[in-house]
Coordinates of all heavy atoms in Angstrom, one line a residue:
S1 N 0.9 -1.2 0.0 CA 0.0 0.0 0.0 C 0.9 1.2 0.0 O 2.1 1.1 -0.1 CB -0.9 0.0 1.2 OG -0.2 0.2 2.4
A2 N 0.3 2.4 0.1 CA 1.1 3.6 0.1 C 2.0 3.7 1.3 O 3.0 4.4 1.3 CB 0.1 4.8 0.0
T3 N 1.6 3.0 2.4 CA 2.4 3.2 3.6 C 3.0 1.9 4.2 O 3.7 1.9 5.2 CB 1.4 3.8 4.7 OG1 0.3 2.9 4.9 CG2 0.9 5.1 4.4
F4 N 2.7 0.8 3.5 CA 3.2 -0.5 4.1 C 3.5 -1.5 3.0 O 2.8 -1.6 2.0 CB 2.1 -1.1 5.0 CG 2.4 -2.4 5.6 CD1 3.3 -2.6 6.6 CD2 1.9 -3.6 5.0 CE1 3.6 -3.8 7.1 CE2 2.2 -4.8 5.5 CZ 3.0 -5.0 6.6
T5 N 4.5 -2.3 3.2 CA 4.9 -3.4 2.3 C 5.3 -4.6 3.2 O 6.1 -4.4 4.0 CB 6.1 -3.0 1.4 OG1 5.7 -1.9 0.5 CG2 6.4 -4.2 0.5
G6 N 4.6 -5.7 2.9 CA 4.9 -6.9 3.8 C 4.3 -8.1 3.2 O 3.9 -8.1 2.0
Y7 N 4.1 -9.1 4.0 CA 3.5 -10.4 3.6 C 2.4 -10.8 4.6 O 2.5 -10.5 5.8 CB 4.6 -11.5 3.6 CG 5.6 -11.2 2.5 CD1 6.8 -10.6 2.7 CD2 5.3 -11.7 1.2 CE1 7.7 -10.3 1.7 CE2 6.3 -11.4 0.2 CZ 7.5 -10.8 0.4 OH 8.4 -10.6 -0.5
E8 N 1.4 -11.5 4.1 CA 0.4 -12.1 4.9 C 0.3 -13.6 4.6 O 0.5 -14.0 3.5 CB -1.0 -11.4 4.5 CG -2.1 -12.0 5.3 CD -3.5 -11.3 4.9 OE1 -3.7 -11.2 3.6 OE2 -4.3 -11.0 5.8
A9 N 0.1 -14.4 5.7 CA 0.0 -15.8 5.5 C -1.3 -16.3 6.1 O -1.7 -15.8 7.2 CB 1.2 -16.5 6.2
N10 N -2.0 -17.2 5.4 CA -3.2 -17.7 5.9 C -3.3 -19.2 5.8 O -2.7 -19.8 4.9 CB -4.4 -17.1 5.1 CG -4.6 -15.6 5.4 OD1 -4.8 -15.3 6.6 ND2 -4.6 -14.8 4.4
G11 N -4.0 -19.8 6.7 CA -4.1 -21.3 6.7 C -4.1 -21.8 8.1 O -3.7 -21.1 9.0
E12 N -4.5 -23.1 8.2 CA -4.5 -23.7 9.6 C -3.1 -23.7 10.2 O -3.0 -23.5 11.4 CB -5.0 -25.1 9.4 CG -5.1 -25.9 10.8 CD -5.6 -27.3 10.6 OE1 -6.6 -27.4 9.9 OE2 -5.0 -28.2 11.2
V13 N -2.1 -23.8 9.4 CA -0.7 -23.9 10.0 C -0.4 -22.6 10.8 O 0.3 -22.7 11.8 CB 0.3 -24.1 8.9 CG1 0.3 -22.9 7.9 CG2 1.7 -24.2 9.4
V14 N -0.9 -21.5 10.3 CA -0.7 -20.2 11.0 C -1.4 -20.2 12.4 O -0.8 -19.8 13.4 CB -1.2 -19.0 10.2 CG1 -0.9 -17.7 10.9 CG2 -0.6 -19.0 8.8
H15 N -2.6 -20.6 12.4 CA -3.4 -20.5 13.7 C -2.9 -21.5 14.7 O -2.8 -21.2 15.9 CB -4.9 -20.8 13.4 CG -5.5 -19.7 12.5 ND1 -5.9 -18.5 13.0 CD2 -5.7 -19.7 11.2 CE1 -6.4 -17.8 12.0 NE2 -6.3 -18.4 10.9
V16 N -2.5 -22.7 14.2 CA -1.9 -23.7 15.2 C -0.6 -23.2 15.7 O -0.3 -23.4 16.9 CB -1.8 -25.1 14.5 CG1 -1.1 -26.1 15.4 CG2 -3.2 -25.6 14.1
A17 N 0.2 -22.6 14.9 CA 1.5 -22.1 15.4 C 1.3 -21.1 16.5 O 2.0 -21.0 17.6 CB 2.3 -21.5 14.3
A18 N 0.3 -20.2 16.3 CA 0.0 -19.2 17.3 C -0.5 -19.8 18.6 O -0.2 -19.4 19.7 CB -1.1 -18.2 16.8
R19 N -1.4 -20.9 18.5 CA -1.9 -21.6 19.7 C -0.8 -22.3 20.4 O -0.7 -22.3 21.7 CB -2.9 -22.6 19.3 CG -4.2 -22.0 18.7 CD -5.1 -21.4 19.7 NE -6.4 -21.2 19.1 CZ -6.8 -20.0 18.6 NH1 -5.9 -19.0 18.4 NH2 -8.0 -19.9 18.1
V20 N 0.2 -22.9 19.7 CA 1.3 -23.6 20.3 C 2.2 -22.6 21.1 O 2.6 -22.9 22.2 CB 2.1 -24.3 19.3 CG1 3.4 -24.9 19.9 CG2 1.3 -25.5 18.7
E21 N 2.4 -21.4 20.5 CA 3.2 -20.4 21.2 C 2.5 -20.0 22.6 O 3.2 -19.9 23.6 CB 3.3 -19.1 20.4 CG 4.1 -18.0 21.0 CD 3.5 -16.7 20.8 OE1 2.3 -16.6 20.5 OE2 4.3 -15.7 20.9
Q22 N 1.2 -19.9 22.6 CA 0.4 -19.6 23.8 C 0.5 -20.6 24.9 O 0.3 -20.4 26.0 CB -1.0 -19.3 23.4 CG -1.2 -18.0 22.6 CD -2.5 -17.9 21.9 OE1 -3.5 -18.6 22.3 NE2 -2.7 -17.0 21.0
M23 N 0.8 -21.9 24.5 CA 1.0 -23.0 25.4 C 2.3 -22.9 26.2 O 2.5 -23.4 27.3 CB 1.0 -24.3 24.7 CG -0.3 -24.7 24.1 SD -0.1 -26.3 23.3 CE -1.6 -26.4 22.3
A24 N 3.3 -22.2 25.5 CA 4.7 -22.3 26.0 C 4.8 -21.6 27.4 O 4.3 -20.5 27.6 CB 5.6 -21.6 25.0
Q25 N 5.6 -22.2 28.3 CA 5.9 -21.6 29.5 C 7.1 -20.7 29.4 O 7.6 -20.5 28.3 CB 6.2 -22.7 30.6 CG 5.0 -23.6 30.8 CD 3.8 -22.9 31.4 OE1 4.0 -22.1 32.3 NE2 2.7 -23.1 30.8
E26 N 7.6 -20.2 30.5 CA 8.7 -19.2 30.4 C 9.9 -19.7 29.7 O 10.5 -20.8 30.0 CB 9.1 -18.8 31.8 CG 10.2 -17.8 31.9 CD 10.5 -17.4 33.3 OE1 9.7 -17.6 34.2 OE2 11.6 -16.8 33.6

């Protein structure tokens, strides 16, 4: 866009990775 350049990823793999991170302890 006029103010941003980057990448977007979609799929089950993305959501599961986020859930796994939330399981992690310190």
Side-chain angles (χ1 to χ4, degrees):
S1 68
T3 58
F4 176 78
T5 298
Y7 293 94
E8 180 181 41
N10 288 305
E12 182 179 313
V13 62
V14 180
H15 296 278
V16 173
R19 296 283 194 271
V20 169
E21 181 221 25
Q22 292 165 12
M23 296 178 190
Q25 299 299 311
E26 182 176 343

